Amino acid sequence: RPGAAQDVQQDGQRDARQDMPDPPEGGDHGHAAQTLKEPEDQHQPQPGFGIAIDDMMIENGPLMIVPGSHKRELHSHHQDGAFVGEPVWVPGRIGTALQFDGIDDYVEIPHDDALNVLTDVTLALWINPERYVSEGEGWGGIMAKGSPRLYSLFTTAGGELHFSTAGVGSVSSQTFPLNEWSHVAAMVVDGGHAYYINGAPAGTPGSGINLSGVANTAPVTIGNINETNRFYQGLIDEVYIYGRALSAEEVMELATK
């Protein structure tokens, strides 16, 4: 793995606490998916696509790729995800959410070239975790596309977010609580990271990120990053992946839905 991230605060001064190496990558956990449906519609979305994991998709699987802004109606390229283990639909922050047991539950979405990003990316979602890290691990895996890691979002033991992209890892400057809903967003913008928690800025560390150099055919996983025992325990709702950096106003709109 590349060395520690070169994380820099907004005022240009180094923050040693945010200078954090990525957790080491591990092998696949080895669980088989219950179902795996091939996409029926091969329409490719336009640049700036978004992906929504939403209770509106229950009948067609939990994933749909949509063009353009998150404000647009969900339509276009269907790509069904598969439940691994037994994630459960429960009342969520908006509509229904998925509950993960922290042992072997996650959602796996097969690779599609549209899931790869070339410059910027945003992950935005609601989380309600019961613990910060997996048992025996220093990290909890919220969601990822790797390995190698194109974009991977973790929780840390201290309650920060950790974002790993193309060999550069950093942590947020703010934390989120256990056992209540928080909206979190992590993005790559202009070669660095930017974090938001409940719509408020939560750090801009990291530098020198080049997503275009990462060849990645791995699936997207939610509730696990498919590395050793890094499982998420708790609820996840309203997951969005964008092939661009959202504005602060767009993040706030998602956080106040």
Side-chain angles (χ1 to χ4, degrees):
R1 299 289 300 156
Q6 298 178 2
D7 302 332
V8 182
Q9 286 184 309
Q10 230 171 346
D11 62 4
Q13 300 300 313
R14 290 193 60 81
D15 180 353
R17 191 177 181 291
Q18 291 189 359
D19 191 11
M20 176 178 288
D22 280 354
E25 295 192 27
D28 292 348
H29 195 70
H31 290 278
Q34 294 176 359
T35 60
L36 192 63
K37 295 176 64 179
E38 293 296 326
E40 297 177 359
D41 182 358
Q42 296 300 323
H43 172 72
Q44 293 297 312
Q46 298 300 310
F49 71 89
I51 298 171
I53 309 296
D54 193 302
D55 54 288
M56 298 297 292
M57 311 311 159
I58 295 175
E59 292 183 359
N60 296 318
L63 178 102
M64 183 181 286
I65 300 174
V66 299
S69 167
H70 66 276
K71 299 178 183 178
R72 299 186 184 181
E73 181 182 357
L74 300 177
H75 61 91
S76 189
H77 181 97
H78 288 263
Q79 180 129 330
D80 289 343
F83 283 9
V84 181
E86 296 183 343
V88 179
W89 291 107
V90 298
R93 173 62 177 73
I94 301 172
T96 56
L98 281 175
Q99 183 176 46
F100 300 88
D101 65 5
I103 300 172
D104 60 1
D105 290 353
Y106 62 99
V107 174
E108 181 174 280
I109 297 99
H111 166 74
D112 187 285
D113 286 345
L115 296 170
N116 286 339
V117 290
L118 298 179
T119 53
D120 299 341
V121 65
T122 300
L123 308 185
L125 65 156
W126 287 95
I127 60 172
N128 188 339
E130 297 177 21
R131 67 184 185 194
Y132 286 128
V133 297
S134 306
E135 185 175 351
E137 292 276 347
W139 314 86
I142 299 175
M143 63 182 297
K145 191 176 197 309
S147 168
R149 295 173 186 158
L150 182 58
Y151 42 84
S152 298
L153 185 62
F154 301 78
T155 56
T156 72
E160 302 95 348
L161 296 169
H162 172 74
F163 200 28
S164 175
T165 54
V168 177
S170 70
V171 295
S172 62
S173 60
Q174 304 296 319
T175 62
F176 55 89
L178 295 176
N179 299 308
E180 62 181 78
W181 286 108
S182 298
H183 188 268
V184 300
M187 64 184 73
V188 172
V189 53
D190 296 330
H193 288 155
Y195 294 93
Y196 292 82
I197 296 177
N198 291 321
T204 54
S207 62
I209 301 166
N210 179 16
L211 296 175
S212 65
V214 181
N216 192 297
T217 58
V220 168
T221 54
I222 300 168
N224 179 30
I225 58 168
N226 237 1
E227 297 177 12
T228 62
N229 187 39
R230 292 171 183 149
F231 287 94
Y232 172 90
Q233 183 174 339
L235 308 180
I236 293 179
D237 198 1
E238 300 291 306
V239 179
Y240 287 88
I241 306 172
Y242 292 94
R244 61 184 177 88
L246 295 188
S247 67
E249 292 76 16
E250 288 175 311
V251 173
M252 180 60 75
E253 183 176 344
L254 289 174
T256 54
K257 286 177 65 176

